[in-house]
Amino acid sequence: MIDNLIVAILTRCSKVINDWAKRLTITEKAKALSHILAPALLLGVAIYSGGWVAIGFERAIAISELRTEITDNSVASTQRGFVVIAEPEADHYKYVIPFSNGSSKIWNSLDEGLALDNAKGSSLLLIPSGLQITTPLVGVYEPMTLVIHGDLGQQIEIVGHGKQPIADWRVSSRRPLSLIAAVLLNCSLALGIGIVTGFPSINPNENNARKVSTQPDKE
Amino acid sequence: MSALHLTLLVAYLGYCLFLVYYWKTREPLPSKPLNVESNLPLPWLAQTSTVFSWTGLFGAYFGIAVMLGLPALLGLACGTVLGLFLIRHWIERTLMRAKKETGSFEDFLSEILPENKWDGIPFTLLISIAQLVFATSELLILREAGKMGFGLKSEQATLLAVGLAILGYFYVLLGGYVALFRTDRIQLIFVCAMALAFSLYILVNHSQVGWTTGNLRPRPGFWGIGSLGPGWLLYVWHFFIAAVMALGLFLASPDTWKRVYQVNKDQRKGAHPVRTRVFTFVAVGLLPYMVLLPVAITFGAKYDAFKLNANASKGFTLPAVLNNDWIFLAAALALIASFLSSFNGAFLASVHVALIYLRKTLTSSRRPLSESWPEEARFYLIMMTVLSSVSLVFFWSLSVFCNPSRYGLNNPWLLGNLLMGAYSVIGGLQVGTGGTLSRLPKYVLPVVVVVGLAVWTRYFFSSPGYLATPDLKSVETVRVGVILCLAIAGFCGLTRLVMFIVGKVNA
């Protein structure tokens, strides 16, 4: 019944918009399309096809490679490993981060109880191909950090969704994000100006239902 | 410091948007939206904004300066200056021939586009699409610069590129040429500020380079003629090729024609002496190369060391200088400014040429004007079409040229390199006909366009320019592009000569 209602509302709205659009001149239609629809569609396509990831809403995991260690007598030596920062994720995903020559330990930021729950629940596992993280994690409601010793692989596997370069999952610097934020802010402003400019102006002298009801004798 | 970056970047872009909107409300677009010639400030300042582009100066010209050295760099500078003078002469002569000495820029465009549809449509489409693809190439390289130089991830860089494209689109949609010229002033300031910042940094941190032009020596194996070894004859050849390339870029860039037209008009109105006019063109023509010179010298001196580093020749990577917050900000502002300037110019040029041809076709057709759409509606629709086309080409190029898993390619400069063929064809036609395409017999032009593009495409996919990753060796394709341009020019000239002789014989 709700589905039918939604369909009915959408049909009615489409009809209203269609009737309204028919009254517009060619120039007004072209203006509306060029100021509102075209740029909004483009931004929508860009965000849908990956931009959402760019803003950071999609990836629950960030990876950072570790390469060296510095001892207390100021000696630097090679020590391979990686850090994983995992956000709480409600959706079901299984990530496999490959690594080699590593130890069989996961050093993490969870307390003993939560660590045990997630290990037993197979949310955090060391498997032959690497580190497996299965979301949602058990009892984890804050970002969690993991440290693993070993040589990080090249591609992360999202089971059922293919593999992606680990470079795209690395921790982002805040500085370049200021570029995107500044551009998106101004883009929103520009789209707002576009809507104001491109929307057909309302004719105050046009006869409408309110006037008909209050001044029925007036044309 | 990221809050500072954000604030300054928002302020810069927001100010430009405010400027566009202010001038739009103060001077709404006329019924012919792009027929604007007043209140266009300082057109002489940005005459070479086509050169100040990622595809041009920071792409092809940078590669030429490093690999071919000083003779080619001088050729580029001379070609640029010569191009400005030639375009000025071409505009004046075209308007004079049409008996419209004080005619508008649109009158000039209308004169140069062929009347009959078999010639007019291919030529208009060629120029319009070339500009559209140029704008897309800027987007691709901007995206790559965002990734390699500023540490953005792929999706972030894509979003940055799309966001800036939409901003640029709104600038020219709301304000047309007024917006373009007014924002160009600000943009040029930032590009020059970046150039100054980088030059100072290079001077301070790379003084061991030894600032001599000896660091710009031509590297062997490029742009050769047969078995001719290094010597003055070869360097003259390099100079010539670079000059023709620089000239060709201008001959195929309607936004440059508009700026030169505007400068000429202002100078005629202000009765500026010839010395001032010459000085303006020379100074502005040389400006991009003053920006390029210190970077090219430093990079040229260290090129051999870079070559040994496996990562260096595989992508465009800005140095660790960007760890300095102020340099980062200067570079980010200049990146955006340079992109917006060239993108907006190419975008508007693509729209304007199409708009003028459409108007010309409708005027000469027998259809009553009342049945055709108003010019304003056509403007909006063409703007939307060009934006959609740029988007399609951009996303297609991402999936083909920047997607190693598909065709093994990860080279955003490929599109710009491929575009050189179109510029060669346009340049060849312009040179061969003296800027008057109606001198060619009917139907010759579309054949020349198709054959020229086919020859270039066939060559390109087996050329040194078709590389999986960016490499400065791709400058080798410039020589073939110039030869194609000269071949087309020669063919057009020969055709005109034959027609002249036949005409004389018949008479």
Side-chain angles (χ1 to χ4, degrees):
Chain A
M1 188 182 161
I2 293 175
D3 289 343
N4 290 341
L5 186 62
I6 292 171
V7 166
I9 291 170
L10 284 173
T11 311
R12 179 73 187 144
C13 288
S14 312
K15 191 173 179 307
V16 166
I17 292 169
N18 195 36
D19 290 341
W20 169 75
K22 277 181 190 167
R23 291 201 297 270
L24 298 176
T25 62
I26 287 282
T27 306
E28 284 172 334
K29 282 181 195 168
K31 199 173 180 184
L33 285 173
S34 61
H35 281 73
I36 304 168
L37 193 65
L41 260 178
L42 172 59
L43 192 63
V45 165
I47 288 182
Y48 179 77
S49 64
W52 208 237
V53 172
I55 305 171
F57 290 142
E58 192 76 5
R59 292 201 175 116
I61 283 179
I63 300 169
S64 187
E65 195 173 359
L66 303 172
R67 295 193 179 95
T68 54
E69 65 175 6
I70 301 172
T71 58
D72 55 3
N73 49 357
S74 302
V75 172
S77 58
T78 304
Q79 182 68 265
R80 309 291 296 190
F82 59 96
V83 172
V84 177
I85 300 169
E87 294 272 341
E89 168 76 71
D91 293 332
H92 291 272
Y93 284 109
K94 194 178 278 186
Y95 304 96
V96 177
I97 303 170
F99 69 94
S100 55
N101 305 323
S103 66
S104 53
K105 284 189 241 183
I106 305 174
W107 188 15
N108 63 78
S109 61
L110 301 174
D111 62 28
E112 281 184 32
L114 277 178
L116 207 58
D117 289 341
N118 280 281
K120 282 187 178 169
S122 303
S123 297
L124 291 175
L125 270 183
L126 285 174
I127 58 176
S129 49
L131 168 70
Q132 182 179 287
I133 302 173
T134 308
T135 60
L137 297 164
V138 178
V140 177
Y141 304 108
E142 287 178 354
M144 172 190 72
T145 309
L146 308 169
V147 179
I148 318 287
H149 289 273
D151 289 320
L152 184 61
Q154 296 297 314
Q155 291 192 310
I156 180 174
E157 183 185 358
I158 305 106
V159 177
H161 296 272
K163 290 184 181 180
Q164 293 178 14
I166 275 186
D168 288 344
W169 290 72
R170 67 181 192 275
V171 174
S172 293
S173 166
R174 288 171 304 128
R175 211 164 53 159
L177 289 178
S178 60
L179 279 178
I180 300 177
V183 168
L184 284 182
L185 267 168
N186 281 282
C187 217
S188 313
L189 196 60
L191 281 167
I193 293 173
I195 289 172
V196 164
T197 311
F199 210 81
S201 49
I202 296 166
N203 184 356
N205 295 322
E206 191 184 68
N207 196 6
N208 57 36
R210 183 171 166 272
K211 276 197 175 155
V212 169
S213 65
T214 55
Q215 297 167 351
D217 299 326
K218 203 164 182 178
E219 282 292 326
Chain B
M1 287 297 271
S2 58
L4 175 68
H5 297 137
L6 181 66
T7 308
L8 287 172
L9 284 164
V10 168
Y12 155 59
L13 290 171
Y15 174 69
C16 286
L17 201 56
F18 163 75
L19 203 67
V20 167
Y21 190 68
Y22 169 77
W23 277 99
K24 183 215 155 27
T25 41
R26 185 174 157 165
E27 276 194 30
L29 290 178
S31 58
K32 289 182 180 174
L34 296 181
N35 192 19
V36 174
E37 293 178 7
S38 56
N39 278 324
L40 299 181
L42 304 175
W44 53 268
L45 198 61
Q47 281 176 102
T48 49
S49 76
T50 305
V51 176
F52 261 118
S53 61
W54 286 92
T55 310
L57 191 71
F58 306 115
Y61 288 18
F62 173 74
I64 289 171
V66 171
M67 303 306 282
L68 281 303
L70 193 60
L73 191 60
L74 288 174
L76 288 174
C78 285
T80 302
V81 173
L82 181 67
L84 294 174
F85 280 106
L86 271 179
I87 289 171
R88 178 179 165 273
H89 172 70
W90 176 38
I91 292 172
E92 281 195 338
R93 202 196 60 200
T94 305
L95 288 173
M96 210 177 302
R97 202 182 314 113
K99 296 188 175 46
K100 293 177 183 172
E101 283 84 356
T102 53
S104 66
F105 179 67
E106 293 202 335
D107 292 330
F108 163 73
L109 277 185
S110 192
E111 279 303 312
I112 63 166
L113 296 175
E115 191 79 37
N116 78 81
K117 66 177 183 182
W118 291 106
D119 294 342
I121 292 176
F123 187 69
T124 304
L125 280 177
L126 183 63
I127 291 195
S128 191
I129 291 174
Q131 292 302 304
L132 183 161
V133 173
F134 183 89
T136 314
S137 175
E138 290 292 289
L139 269 177
L140 285 172
I141 298 172
L142 168 82
R143 180 182 174 273
E144 186 70 13
K147 278 175 63 182
M148 305 298 285
F150 295 97
L152 291 173
K153 293 181 193 165
S154 303
E155 297 88 1
Q156 293 168 341
T158 303
L159 198 58
L160 176 77
V162 169
L164 283 173
I166 290 175
L167 263 178
Y169 168 76
F170 270 112
Y171 287 176
V172 294
L173 179 68
L174 295 173
Y177 278 114
V178 175
L180 180 68
F181 279 65
R182 287 195 176 270
T183 52
D184 264 355
R185 282 193 301 181
I186 304 163
Q187 274 140 204
L188 204 64
I189 289 169
F190 283 119
V191 172
C192 291
M194 177 202 73
L196 198 64
F198 267 115
S199 301
L200 282 172
Y201 177 83
I202 286 168
L203 270 171
V204 167
N205 291 287
H206 293 271
S207 53
Q208 75 279 13
V209 156
W211 284 84
T212 66
T213 51
N215 291 325
L216 283 179
R217 64 187 188 287
R219 287 167 205 286
F222 293 94
W223 294 6
I225 318 173
S227 55
L228 190 66
W232 68 269
L233 202 59
L234 183 69
Y235 300 152
V236 166
W237 170 240
H238 289 179
F239 177 94
F240 174 72
I241 292 188
V244 172
M245 181 191 180
L247 180 65
L249 179 68
F250 278 172
L251 289 178
S253 300
D255 58 322
T256 305
W257 309 345
K258 169 70 176 178
R259 290 183 167 100
V260 173
Y261 166 86
Q262 210 59 42
V263 169
N264 197 37
K265 185 180 171 187
D266 291 352
Q267 286 178 340
R268 259 190 289 123
K269 211 162 62 169
H272 290 188
V274 172
R275 207 169 37 194
T276 308
R277 297 184 199 186
V278 169
F279 175 74
T280 306
F281 280 149
V282 171
V284 168
L286 294 179
L287 182 63
Y289 305 101
M290 307 313 297
V291 171
L292 184 62
L293 198 59
V295 182
I297 287 177
T298 308
F299 196 84
K302 293 173 180 284
Y303 177 70
D304 293 322
F306 276 126
K307 225 170 49 162
L308 291 173
N309 180 352
N311 290 326
S313 62
K314 283 185 180 154
F316 176 82
T317 310
L318 290 177
V321 64
L322 289 182
N323 291 332
N324 180 300
D325 279 333
W326 291 106
I327 301 281
F328 177 88
L329 192 60
L333 285 168
L335 168 83
I336 291 172
S338 172
F339 164 77
L340 281 173
S341 183
S342 49
F343 177 83
N344 290 350
F347 195 102
L348 206 55
S350 179
V351 169
H352 204 175
V353 167
L355 193 65
I356 294 298
Y357 188 73
L358 204 55
R359 186 199 299 166
K360 190 169 175 164
T361 313
L362 287 169
T363 310
S364 60
S365 75
R366 294 205 180 99
R367 252 174 99 187
L369 281 173
S370 58
E371 283 185 15
S372 62
W373 289 0
E375 174 101 350
E376 200 184 337
R378 293 200 296 268
F379 167 69
Y380 292 133
L381 287 172
I382 294 175
M383 283 290 288
M384 203 169 61
T385 307
V386 172
L387 178 70
S388 308
S389 306
V390 166
S391 318
L392 278 169
V393 176
F394 176 65
F395 285 113
W396 175 81
S397 302
L398 281 187
S399 71
V400 172
F401 297 142
C402 304
N403 188 356
S405 59
R406 196 163 179 185
Y407 298 112
L409 297 172
N410 190 16
N411 187 354
W413 274 267
L414 266 178
L415 189 65
N417 213 343
L418 189 59
L419 182 62
M420 209 187 320
Y423 277 78
S424 301
V425 171
I426 296 169
L429 284 168
Q430 304 274 43
V431 169
T433 58
T436 311
L437 294 165
S438 55
R439 286 175 178 166
L440 280 178
K442 225 173 168 182
Y443 311 126
V444 167
L445 190 148
V447 171
V448 167
V449 167
V450 168
V451 170
L453 291 177
V455 164
W456 173 259
T457 310
R458 178 67 188 85
Y459 158 75
F460 183 77
F461 287 106
S462 56
S463 72
Y466 186 59
L467 295 166
T469 52
D471 199 303
L472 294 178
K473 292 175 195 160
S474 56
V475 297
E476 187 60 31
T477 54
V478 173
R479 178 179 59 149
V480 176
V482 165
I483 291 171
L484 177 65
C485 172
L486 294 173
I488 290 175
F491 173 77
C492 293
L494 197 63
T495 308
R496 284 171 53 202
L497 182 64
V498 165
M499 275 182 62
F500 175 75
I501 293 170
V502 166
K504 282 279 185 193
V505 164
N506 285 342

